Amino acid sequence: AQTVTQSQPEMSVQEAETVTLSCTYDTSESNYYLFWYKQPPSRQMILVIRQEAYKQQNATENRFSVNFQKAAKSFSLKISDSQLGDTAMYFCAFIDYGQNFVFGPGTRLSVLP
Amino acid sequence: KAGVTQTPRYLIKTRGQQVTLSCSPISGHRSVSWYQQTPGQGLQFLFEYFSETQRNKGNFPGRFSGRQFSNSRSEMNVSTLELGDSALYLCASSFSRGETQYFGPGTRLLVL
């Protein structure tokens, strides 16, 4: 079975600092997609960033970037210049074509002023 | 484009009742998935519909069912509600299977 693990249930970071959230996954597939989703308190889940497994280049979206290590099955999210609005639950997710989305348990990130 | 919409946003039911939740996907999206989110269990996959057919189902009892209409709108039904069914039910749509999912705001169900 495919699984996604997020080993940090909670993290905090000072405003303007950088934080890295960890994610590991387990699959026997070679082609798949990885995602980071953000769920602010009492607000909608939104996509932060997406990575295709066949691409060696790490995805970036403004202050958000990933460190994708395919051999290690690791997919960490780096948030630079953290802002108060980054406070949220962050979910790592995995899918290969035709299968269910599998979500990790989430990391609760608090950005402190 | 309008995002994924879910109705109602909040529901209070009592044990034994049944409930129907609705999800309208982003225009052009044909895949709709449903998830149950609780503090203890996190996000759990319920089922996925594509072109009016259920393609995948999570590990939930038969009291949980769903359907998809020709316009891709989807409904999920929970019969004989139990206290443990209290949760946030999220709907997500994607253009096709295996693609990025976009989430709705959820329906918060409280079973008393």
Side-chain angles (χ1 to χ4, degrees), chain A residues 75-86:
Chain A
F75 183 61
S76 60
L77 175 70
K78 185 172 82 170
I79 306 174
S80 304
D81 186 26
S82 297
Q83 300 176 359
L84 296 178
D86 295 333

Side-chain angles (χ1 to χ4, degrees), chain B residues 15-72:
Chain B
R15 277 181 301 175
Q17 287 187 308
Q18 76 164 16
V19 66
T20 299
L21 312 182
S22 181
C23 171
S24 293
I26 291 171
S27 177
H29 284 194
R30 294 192 296 159
S31 176
V32 173
S33 295
W34 289 88
Y35 298 87
Q36 182 194 66
Q37 187 177 25
T38 59
Q41 298 296 319
L43 267 167
Q44 292 188 286
F45 171 77
L46 279 157
F47 27 66
E48 178 204 2
Y49 286 87
F50 181 77
S51 294
E52 302 178 63
T53 302
Q54 188 179 88
R55 303 291 178 157
N56 275 313
K57 191 178 193 306
N59 188 24
F60 278 83
R63 300 185 296 108
F64 292 82
S65 63
R67 58 178 176 168
Q68 186 180 34
F69 302 96
S70 58
N71 62 358
S72 294

